[in-house]
């Protein structure tokens, strides 16, 4: 399969690197990462270590069988614009947050699949990505149900050794992932700790509260997500990605804007005053973002 990964940051580079073991992959990212991959290939080190030679560029190619969108949720509209003239059979979002698929679908004429990803990754420098936690990709039609293209993409991922489930209930899966991100990302970013620090103690309680609030908002939106399931999914991801620095912690450490609006901010907005933990986490991260 000819695959373009739009957003070759930590996760995009890890997924693209794994897929390049089996498929023709083009990483679309920024310099100096792109130039280093062009010259020297991509080194993946950690849970699995290997070297691959995907193509790499800073702009979107003219065509691909599949575009995987891995940009930050604040950059989805720009990615949709960039992909509008690319001839595609399908597009798959593996981003955090809710609503990315709709933004992509508004600009693209191919089917847009929804996806979640719990693999842990950290861009360690140009041309090198740390594989910090084995997770899972879950993908399927964005409105739920089944489709041949989702099955085909799932089979292509599995053939490359990416743990993948093709799901008929992506709307629920996206909310489940939102609960995990609401629990883990801002908490670890503010406390400057790896995901594993939320396995017990005060971090565990805080994470569980944020997950429960998200489940409550999900149920209001008609999604069948119990408090217990939101908490147990969070505990599983914390265990499986214990050594990972969450994407928000990586953003804060690098002085970058975070995805707070698409995660805890989204939950707090929808809860209209009934999600105090998500609201507080949002305010603290926004306070940090507003620094000089
Ligand atoms: O999605 C993640 C993220 O960091 O954004 C998790 C699954 C929490 C892994 O760190």
């Amino acid at each position: 399969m000819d695959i373009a990964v739009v957003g070759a940051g930590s996760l995009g580079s890890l997924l693209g690197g794994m897929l390049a073991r089996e498929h023709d992959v083009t990483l679309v990212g920024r310099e100096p990462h792109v130039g280093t991959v062009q010259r020297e290939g991509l080194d993946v080190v950690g849970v699995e270590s290997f070297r691959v030679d995907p193509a790499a560029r800073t702009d979107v190619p003219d065509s691909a069988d599949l575009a995987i969108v891995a940009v930050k949720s604040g950059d989805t509209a720009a990615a949709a614009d960039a992909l509008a003239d690319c001839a595609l059979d399908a597009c798959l979002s593996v981003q955090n947050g809710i609503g990315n698929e709709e933004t992509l679908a508004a600009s693209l004429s191919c089917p847009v699949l929804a996806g979640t990803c719990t693999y842990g990754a950290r861009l360690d420098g140009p041309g090198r990505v740390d594989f910090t936690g084995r997770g899972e990709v879950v993908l399927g039609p964005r409105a739920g149900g089944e489709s041949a293209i989702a099955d085909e993409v799932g089979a292509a991922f599995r053939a490359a050794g990416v743990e993948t489930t093709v799901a008929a209930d992506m709307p629920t899966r996206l909310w489940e992932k939102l609960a995990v991100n609401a629990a883990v990302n801002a908490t670890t970013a503010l406390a400057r700790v790896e995901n594993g620090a939320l396995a017990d103690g005060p971090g565990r309680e805080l994470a569980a509260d944020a997950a429960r609030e998200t489940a409550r908002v999900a149920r209001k939106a008609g999604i069948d997500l119990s408090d217990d399931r939101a908490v147990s999914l969070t505990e599983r991801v914390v265990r499986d990605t214990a050594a990972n620095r969450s994407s928000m912690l990586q953003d804060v450490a690098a002085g970058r804007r975070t995805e707070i609006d698409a995660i805890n901010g989204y939950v707090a907005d929808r809860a209209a005053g009934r999600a105090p933990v998500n609201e507080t986490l949002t305010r603290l991260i926004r306070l940090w973002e507003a620094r000089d």
Side-chain angles (χ1 to χ4, degrees):
M1 191 177 271
D2 184 4
I3 302 173
V5 180
V6 180
S10 312
L11 180 63
S13 295
L14 175 62
L15 274 184
M18 294 179 84
L19 291 166
R21 300 185 292 198
E22 185 69 25
H23 303 287
D24 291 330
V25 169
T26 300
L27 299 181
V28 180
R30 296 205 178 104
E31 296 293 2
H33 185 48
V34 161
T36 305
V37 173
Q38 285 168 343
R39 283 190 310 276
E40 299 166 22
L42 176 73
D43 263 331
V44 179
V45 285
V47 172
E48 287 175 40
S49 298
F50 55 91
R51 189 181 180 80
V52 280
D53 278 301
R57 50 195 285 167
T58 54
D59 58 348
V60 165
D62 292 338
S63 67
D65 299 327
L66 173 70
I68 299 174
V69 178
V71 299
K72 299 285 178 194
S73 47
D75 296 328
T76 307
D81 273 358
L83 282 167
D85 294 329
C86 177
L88 293 169
D89 290 343
C91 177
L92 165 68
S93 164
V94 289
Q95 302 165 268
N96 287 334
I98 305 270
N100 294 301
E101 298 77 16
E102 285 65 33
T103 304
L104 291 164
S107 294
L108 306 186
S109 47
C110 66
V112 175
L113 302 172
T116 63
C117 180
T118 52
Y119 274 88
R122 177 167 52 201
L123 207 55
D124 200 28
R128 184 181 159 104
V129 62
D130 277 356
F131 183 171
T132 55
R134 195 183 298 282
E136 183 189 26
V137 171
V138 180
L139 65 89
R142 66 194 167 97
E146 287 165 17
S147 81
I149 192 77
D151 290 342
E152 210 181 304
V153 172
F157 274 46
R158 281 191 215 105
V162 180
E163 194 69 43
T164 306
T165 299
V166 178
D169 59 346
M170 281 316 295
T172 302
R173 303 286 188 142
L174 290 175
W175 275 95
E176 289 176 348
K177 179 73 192 320
L178 183 67
V180 171
N181 287 129
V184 173
N185 291 30
T187 310
T188 52
L190 288 164
R192 307 286 199 276
V193 292
E194 294 174 347
N195 294 357
L198 307 185
D200 45 40
R204 180 177 188 208
E205 293 311 312
L206 181 58
D209 284 346
R212 279 188 212 101
E213 285 182 2
T214 309
R216 213 171 305 138
V217 173
R219 292 196 293 276
K220 277 216 171 285
I223 299 291
D224 181 17
L225 175 58
S226 69
D227 287 7
D228 285 353
R229 179 155 173 80
V231 172
S232 71
L233 287 169
T234 299
E235 288 173 350
R236 193 167 85 197
V237 171
V238 163
R239 239 185 358 258
D240 291 350
T241 65
N244 196 42
R245 287 153 64 88
S246 74
S247 54
M248 199 173 291
L249 174 55
Q250 294 182 45
D251 288 339
V252 166
R256 288 189 299 252
R257 190 158 182 261
T258 72
E259 294 188 295
I260 194 70
D261 292 348
I263 301 177
N264 306 86
Y266 182 83
V267 175
D269 282 353
R270 309 248 325 189
R274 301 197 53 201
V277 172
N278 279 279
E279 211 166 299
T280 303
L281 292 170
T282 302
R283 285 181 175 158
L284 286 168
I285 292 286
R286 284 189 184 146
L287 174 62
W288 175 84
E289 285 185 340
R291 78 205 180 284
D292 281 333

